[in-house]
Amino acid sequence: MKKKIIITLDGWSSCGKSTLAKQLATKLGYTYVDSGAMYRAITLYFLQHQVLWTDEKMLTEALKKIELAFVEDSATGKSNIYLNGKNVELLIRELVVAEKVSEVSAIKEVRNFAVAKQQEMGKQKGVVMDGRDIGTVVFPEAELKIFMTADNEIRIKRRFIEMRELDSNVSIEEVKKNIESRDYTDSNREISPLRKADDAIVLDNTHLTTGQQFEIAFNWANEKSSM
Ligand code: DC
């Protein structure tokens, strides 16, 4: 009999964390949680409501008005993030949000807000969550921690293809600049910077297909859930 575990996937922007996390969750019958989508949705709210996040009072008031939920689309089986009852899955992927999300996610109050929700979602185990601090801060006791990485050039190319579908005017230079600056901010911020947990396993997928990386990670998950 296999036990339900928590699987964390942390790593740099656009190194395929969500692809692998979704594959694992589907195969294992687990819940997939995209923690980055939560920071993106908070950033979107701030942009839509002209919230000055450097103003502590305004920030605290704004956070009280934010309701986040993941809802599965019954037609596609995909999980979408809802911000105050509205599906914002596509809006949060736009470059205007990507350009501000690292700044917003470095704020202590924002992190406390998001981490509390993430920990709540993991209470029953059977969760695959991807992000930057999931194995280090959100679930330091997780049974399987994966730290994902891939060469910069590959990551930029992958994100460019994704962004192109949303906005045909986006250039590869813009995507490169955004990825590099987010990686820098995410790994150098004071609170919960991106780093590999001591007990995380590194998965470099530069030369792996999504199928190959899945096989590797699925074996790890089986091992950990049989222990
Ligand atoms: O995974 P993503 O690229 O959608 O995440 C968007 C941003 O959110 C990322 O640049 C940093 C932030 N983030 C974070 O600080 N902590 C997490 N657990 C997940 C994302």
Side-chain angles (χ1 to χ4, degrees):
M1 174 79 182
K2 290 205 188 309
K3 62 173 184 193
K4 282 196 169 183
I5 61 168
I6 292 185
I7 302 175
T8 68
L9 283 103
D10 291 303
W12 308 100
S13 297
S14 305
C15 61
K17 298 184 295 294
S18 66
T19 304
L20 177 58
K22 281 178 208 161
Q23 286 173 318
L24 286 171
T26 305
K27 187 80 179 182
L28 294 163
Y30 282 16
T31 304
Y32 164 58
V33 181
D34 174 356
S35 72
M38 299 170 73
Y39 292 101
R40 286 172 180 265
I42 296 167
T43 306
L44 176 67
Y45 181 91
F46 288 177
L47 293 172
Q48 285 177 333
H49 295 83
Q50 288 89 42
V51 175
L52 258 186
W53 50 81
T54 46
D55 177 330
E56 213 177 305
K57 197 159 166 254
M58 208 170 176
L59 171 76
T60 312
E61 285 310 307
L63 285 173
K64 284 186 201 156
K65 295 185 189 134
I66 297 179
E67 279 282 340
L68 299 177
F70 288 96
V71 179
E72 199 179 290
D73 179 332
S74 55
T76 61
K78 282 187 186 158
S79 163
N80 291 317
I81 190 160
Y82 279 64
L83 166 63
N84 295 337
K86 193 168 168 263
N87 183 348
V88 292
E89 188 64 38
L90 284 180
L91 272 182
I92 60 163
R93 308 287 161 200
E94 291 187 358
L95 204 55
V96 278
V97 174
E99 278 171 354
K100 295 291 174 202
V101 66
S102 282
E103 192 182 325
V104 169
S105 61
I107 302 167
K108 185 175 83 215
E109 290 81 355
V110 170
R111 298 210 74 80
N112 290 344
F113 174 85
V115 169
K117 286 190 189 306
Q118 291 154 9
Q119 288 175 334
E120 186 62 40
M121 287 186 255
K123 268 196 173 155
Q124 309 295 324
K125 302 236 176 180
V127 160
V128 186
M129 194 175 294
D130 71 345
R132 304 294 186 288
D133 62 339
I134 311 303
T136 51
V137 175
V138 183
F139 299 121
E141 308 297 332
E143 290 84 354
L144 174 60
K145 300 180 185 178
I146 302 175
F147 188 84
M148 288 185 65
T149 180
D151 282 359
N152 283 9
E153 227 176 279
I154 294 273
R155 296 193 291 125
I156 292 162
K157 238 189 237 165
R158 287 179 188 156
R159 182 52 66 105
F160 176 61
I161 293 166
E162 255 175 44
M163 297 293 295
R164 242 327 182 357
E165 283 190 13
L166 282 178
D167 174 3
S168 56
N169 292 319
V170 78
S171 69
I172 195 148
E173 288 73 29
E174 278 175 302
V175 172
K176 180 174 186 283
K177 212 172 116 208
N178 179 252
I179 286 187
E180 287 173 351
S181 103
R182 280 201 293 137
D183 282 347
Y184 181 82
T185 316
D186 297 344
S187 52
N188 286 283
R189 68 182 173 219
E190 214 174 297
I191 316 163
S192 315
L194 165 66
R195 67 167 185 83
K196 180 188 148 321
D198 294 338
D199 51 351
I201 317 174
V202 175
L203 180 55
D204 182 337
N205 65 18
T206 307
H207 303 293
L208 296 178
T209 63
T210 51
Q212 289 167 330
Q213 78 172 3
F214 170 72
E215 284 304 318
I216 295 170
F218 186 58
N219 284 337
W220 290 339
N222 275 331
E223 265 170 40
K224 298 285 181 184
S225 57
S226 309
M227 282 172 137

